[in-house]
mmCIF file with all atom_site columns, all heavy atoms in Angstrom:
data_model
loop_
_atom_site.group_PDB
_atom_site.id
_atom_site.type_symbol
_atom_site.label_atom_id
_atom_site.label_alt_id
_atom_site.label_comp_id
_atom_site.label_asym_id
_atom_site.label_entity_id
_atom_site.label_seq_id
_atom_site.pdbx_PDB_ins_code
_atom_site.Cartn_x
_atom_site.Cartn_y
_atom_site.Cartn_z
_atom_site.occupancy
_atom_site.B_iso_or_equiv
_atom_site.pdbx_formal_charge
_atom_site.auth_seq_id
_atom_site.auth_comp_id
_atom_site.auth_asym_id
_atom_site.auth_atom_id
_atom_site.pdbx_PDB_model_num
ATOM 1  N N   . ARG A 1 97  ? 4.455  3.940  -8.740  1.00 96.00 ? 141 ARG A N   1
ATOM 2  C CA  . ARG A 1 97  ? 4.017  2.784  -7.941  1.00 96.00 ? 141 ARG A CA  1
ATOM 3  C C   . ARG A 1 97  ? 5.012  2.474  -6.828  1.00 96.00 ? 141 ARG A C   1
ATOM 4  O O   . ARG A 1 97  ? 4.625  2.193  -5.690  1.00 96.00 ? 141 ARG A O   1
ATOM 5  C CB  . ARG A 1 97  ? 3.807  1.566  -8.844  1.00 96.00 ? 141 ARG A CB  1
ATOM 6  C CG  . ARG A 1 97  ? 2.580  1.706  -9.752  1.00 96.00 ? 141 ARG A CG  1
ATOM 7  C CD  . ARG A 1 97  ? 2.262  0.425  -10.514 1.00 96.00 ? 141 ARG A CD  1
ATOM 8  N NE  . ARG A 1 97  ? 3.326  0.037  -11.434 1.00 96.00 ? 141 ARG A NE  1
ATOM 9  C CZ  . ARG A 1 97  ? 3.435  0.473  -12.685 1.00 96.00 ? 141 ARG A CZ  1
ATOM 10 N NH1 . ARG A 1 97  ? 2.553  1.331  -13.169 1.00 96.00 ? 141 ARG A NH1 1
ATOM 11 N NH2 . ARG A 1 97  ? 4.411  0.053  -13.466 1.00 96.00 ? 141 ARG A NH2 1
ATOM 12 N N   . ALA A 1 98  ? 6.304  2.552  -7.138  1.00 96.00 ? 142 ALA A N   1
ATOM 13 C CA  . ALA A 1 98  ? 7.330  2.286  -6.118  1.00 96.00 ? 142 ALA A CA  1
ATOM 14 C C   . ALA A 1 98  ? 7.307  3.351  -5.024  1.00 96.00 ? 142 ALA A C   1
ATOM 15 O O   . ALA A 1 98  ? 7.476  3.040  -3.839  1.00 96.00 ? 142 ALA A O   1
ATOM 16 C CB  . ALA A 1 98  ? 8.715  2.220  -6.775  1.00 96.00 ? 142 ALA A CB  1
ATOM 17 N N   . LEU A 1 99  ? 7.095  4.605  -5.410  1.00 95.00 ? 143 LEU A N   1
ATOM 18 C CA  . LEU A 1 99  ? 7.027  5.700  -4.437  1.00 95.00 ? 143 LEU A CA  1
ATOM 19 C C   . LEU A 1 99  ? 5.886  5.473  -3.453  1.00 95.00 ? 143 LEU A C   1
ATOM 20 O O   . LEU A 1 99  ? 6.063  5.597  -2.231  1.00 95.00 ? 143 LEU A O   1
ATOM 21 C CB  . LEU A 1 99  ? 6.840  7.029  -5.176  1.00 95.00 ? 143 LEU A CB  1
ATOM 22 C CG  . LEU A 1 99  ? 6.678  8.278  -4.330  1.00 95.00 ? 143 LEU A CG  1
ATOM 23 C CD1 . LEU A 1 99  ? 7.943  8.557  -3.535  1.00 95.00 ? 143 LEU A CD1 1
ATOM 24 C CD2 . LEU A 1 99  ? 6.338  9.460  -5.220  1.00 95.00 ? 143 LEU A CD2 1
ATOM 25 N N   . ILE A 1 100 ? 4.721  5.113  -3.964  1.00 96.00 ? 144 ILE A N   1
ATOM 26 C CA  . ILE A 1 100 ? 3.556  4.863  -3.116  1.00 96.00 ? 144 ILE A CA  1
ATOM 27 C C   . ILE A 1 100 ? 3.818  3.675  -2.197  1.00 96.00 ? 144 ILE A C   1
ATOM 28 O O   . ILE A 1 100 ? 3.581  3.737  -0.991  1.00 96.00 ? 144 ILE A O   1
ATOM 29 C CB  . ILE A 1 100 ? 2.297  4.592  -3.971  1.00 96.00 ? 144 ILE A CB  1
ATOM 30 C CG1 . ILE A 1 100 ? 1.981  5.786  -4.881  1.00 96.00 ? 144 ILE A CG1 1
ATOM 31 C CG2 . ILE A 1 100 ? 1.098  4.236  -3.111  1.00 96.00 ? 144 ILE A CG2 1
ATOM 32 C CD1 . ILE A 1 100 ? 1.839  7.099  -4.185  1.00 96.00 ? 144 ILE A CD1 1
ATOM 33 N N   . ALA A 1 101 ? 4.319  2.597  -2.754  1.00 94.00 ? 145 ALA A N   1
ATOM 34 C CA  . ALA A 1 101 ? 4.580  1.393  -1.956  1.00 94.00 ? 145 ALA A CA  1
ATOM 35 C C   . ALA A 1 101 ? 5.588  1.684  -0.849  1.00 94.00 ? 145 ALA A C   1
ATOM 36 O O   . ALA A 1 101 ? 5.367  1.321  0.308   1.00 94.00 ? 145 ALA A O   1
ATOM 37 C CB  . ALA A 1 101 ? 5.080  0.263  -2.856  1.00 94.00 ? 145 ALA A CB  1
ATOM 38 N N   . GLU A 1 102 ? 6.675  2.341  -1.186  1.00 93.00 ? 146 GLU A N   1
ATOM 39 C CA  . GLU A 1 102 ? 7.707  2.618  -0.179  1.00 93.00 ? 146 GLU A CA  1
ATOM 40 C C   . GLU A 1 102 ? 7.191  3.551  0.909   1.00 93.00 ? 146 GLU A C   1
ATOM 41 O O   . GLU A 1 102 ? 7.498  3.367  2.087   1.00 93.00 ? 146 GLU A O   1
ATOM 42 C CB  . GLU A 1 102 ? 8.955  3.211  -0.836  1.00 93.00 ? 146 GLU A CB  1
ATOM 43 C CG  . GLU A 1 102 ? 9.759  2.198  -1.617  1.00 93.00 ? 146 GLU A CG  1
ATOM 44 C CD  . GLU A 1 102 ? 10.243 1.019  -0.771  1.00 93.00 ? 146 GLU A CD  1
ATOM 45 O OE1 . GLU A 1 102 ? 10.652 1.216  0.398   1.00 93.00 ? 146 GLU A OE1 1
ATOM 46 O OE2 . GLU A 1 102 ? 10.212 -0.105 -1.275  1.00 93.00 ? 146 GLU A OE2 1
ATOM 47 N N   . ALA A 1 103 ? 6.414  4.560  0.531   1.00 94.00 ? 147 ALA A N   1
ATOM 48 C CA  . ALA A 1 103 ? 5.858  5.477  1.530   1.00 94.00 ? 147 ALA A CA  1
ATOM 49 C C   . ALA A 1 103 ? 4.968  4.724  2.513   1.00 94.00 ? 147 ALA A C   1
ATOM 50 O O   . ALA A 1 103 ? 5.063  4.920  3.733   1.00 94.00 ? 147 ALA A O   1
ATOM 51 C CB  . ALA A 1 103 ? 5.073  6.593  0.847   1.00 94.00 ? 147 ALA A CB  1
ATOM 52 N N   . LEU A 1 104 ? 4.133  3.836  1.990   1.00 92.00 ? 148 LEU A N   1
ATOM 53 C CA  . LEU A 1 104 ? 3.227  3.115  2.877   1.00 92.00 ? 148 LEU A CA  1
ATOM 54 C C   . LEU A 1 104 ? 3.916  1.989  3.637   1.00 92.00 ? 148 LEU A C   1
ATOM 55 O O   . LEU A 1 104 ? 3.559  1.705  4.779   1.00 92.00 ? 148 LEU A O   1
ATOM 56 C CB  . LEU A 1 104 ? 2.016  2.623  2.090   1.00 92.00 ? 148 LEU A CB  1
ATOM 57 C CG  . LEU A 1 104 ? 1.105  3.784  1.659   1.00 92.00 ? 148 LEU A CG  1
ATOM 58 C CD1 . LEU A 1 104 ? 0.076  3.334  0.654   1.00 92.00 ? 148 LEU A CD1 1
ATOM 59 C CD2 . LEU A 1 104 ? 0.449  4.427  2.861   1.00 92.00 ? 148 LEU A CD2 1
ATOM 60 N N   . PHE A 1 105 ? 4.934  1.369  3.046   1.00 91.00 ? 149 PHE A N   1
ATOM 61 C CA  . PHE A 1 105 ? 5.711  0.373  3.790   1.00 91.00 ? 149 PHE A CA  1
ATOM 62 C C   . PHE A 1 105 ? 6.472  1.057  4.933   1.00 91.00 ? 149 PHE A C   1
ATOM 63 O O   . PHE A 1 105 ? 6.551  0.531  6.037   1.00 91.00 ? 149 PHE A O   1
ATOM 64 C CB  . PHE A 1 105 ? 6.675  -0.381 2.882   1.00 91.00 ? 149 PHE A CB  1
ATOM 65 C CG  . PHE A 1 105 ? 5.976  -1.278 1.885   1.00 91.00 ? 149 PHE A CG  1
ATOM 66 C CD1 . PHE A 1 105 ? 6.562  -1.548 0.666   1.00 91.00 ? 149 PHE A CD1 1
ATOM 67 C CD2 . PHE A 1 105 ? 4.737  -1.852 2.146   1.00 91.00 ? 149 PHE A CD2 1
ATOM 68 C CE1 . PHE A 1 105 ? 5.937  -2.367 -0.268  1.00 91.00 ? 149 PHE A CE1 1
ATOM 69 C CE2 . PHE A 1 105 ? 4.097  -2.663 1.220   1.00 91.00 ? 149 PHE A CE2 1
ATOM 70 C CZ  . PHE A 1 105 ? 4.705  -2.916 0.015   1.00 91.00 ? 149 PHE A CZ  1
ATOM 71 N N   . HIS A 1 106 ? 7.011  2.227  4.660   1.00 89.00 ? 150 HIS A N   1
ATOM 72 C CA  . HIS A 1 106 ? 7.687  3.000  5.708   1.00 89.00 ? 150 HIS A CA  1
ATOM 73 C C   . HIS A 1 106 ? 6.696  3.327  6.830   1.00 89.00 ? 150 HIS A C   1
ATOM 74 O O   . HIS A 1 106 ? 7.005  3.152  8.015   1.00 89.00 ? 150 HIS A O   1
ATOM 75 C CB  . HIS A 1 106 ? 8.276  4.295  5.132   1.00 89.00 ? 150 HIS A CB  1
ATOM 76 C CG  . HIS A 1 106 ? 8.720  5.252  6.181   1.00 89.00 ? 150 HIS A CG  1
ATOM 77 N ND1 . HIS A 1 106 ? 9.867  5.073  6.913   1.00 89.00 ? 150 HIS A ND1 1
ATOM 78 C CD2 . HIS A 1 106 ? 8.152  6.384  6.638   1.00 89.00 ? 150 HIS A CD2 1
ATOM 79 C CE1 . HIS A 1 106 ? 9.998  6.065  7.777   1.00 89.00 ? 150 HIS A CE1 1
ATOM 80 N NE2 . HIS A 1 106 ? 8.961  6.874  7.628   1.00 89.00 ? 150 HIS A NE2 1
ATOM 81 N N   . ALA A 1 107 ? 5.512  3.775  6.461   1.00 90.00 ? 151 ALA A N   1
ATOM 82 C CA  . ALA A 1 107 ? 4.483  4.098  7.450   1.00 90.00 ? 151 ALA A CA  1
ATOM 83 C C   . ALA A 1 107 ? 4.115  2.860  8.265   1.00 90.00 ? 151 ALA A C   1
ATOM 84 O O   . ALA A 1 107 ? 3.883  2.954  9.476   1.00 90.00 ? 151 ALA A O   1
ATOM 85 C CB  . ALA A 1 107 ? 3.253  4.672  6.761   1.00 90.00 ? 151 ALA A CB  1
ATOM 86 N N   . GLY A 1 108 ? 4.078  1.711  7.606   1.00 88.00 ? 152 GLY A N   1
ATOM 87 C CA  . GLY A 1 108 ? 3.785  0.471  8.318   1.00 88.00 ? 152 GLY A CA  1
ATOM 88 C C   . GLY A 1 108 ? 4.796  0.187  9.413   1.00 88.00 ? 152 GLY A C   1
ATOM 89 O O   . GLY A 1 108 ? 4.435  -0.239 10.512  1.00 88.00 ? 152 GLY A O   1
ATOM 90 N N   . HIS A 1 109 ? 6.056  0.441  9.129   1.00 86.00 ? 153 HIS A N   1
ATOM 91 C CA  . HIS A 1 109 ? 7.092  0.271  10.155  1.00 86.00 ? 153 HIS A CA  1
ATOM 92 C C   . HIS A 1 109 ? 6.896  1.270  11.289  1.00 86.00 ? 153 HIS A C   1
ATOM 93 O O   . HIS A 1 109 ? 7.071  0.926  12.457  1.00 86.00 ? 153 HIS A O   1
ATOM 94 C CB  . HIS A 1 109 ? 8.489  0.451  9.545   1.00 86.00 ? 153 HIS A CB  1
ATOM 95 C CG  . HIS A 1 109 ? 8.947  -0.726 8.755   1.00 86.00 ? 153 HIS A CG  1
ATOM 96 N ND1 . HIS A 1 109 ? 9.548  -1.825 9.319   1.00 86.00 ? 153 HIS A ND1 1
ATOM 97 C CD2 . HIS A 1 109 ? 8.892  -0.992 7.427   1.00 86.00 ? 153 HIS A CD2 1
ATOM 98 C CE1 . HIS A 1 109 ? 9.833  -2.703 8.393   1.00 86.00 ? 153 HIS A CE1 1
ATOM 99 N NE2 . HIS A 1 109 ? 9.454  -2.218 7.219   1.00 86.00 ? 153 HIS A NE2 1
#
Side-chain angles (χ1 to χ4, degrees):
R141 289 188 297 273
L143 177 65
I144 300 305
E146 287 301 320
L148 290 168
F149 292 151
H150 168 75
H153 284 276

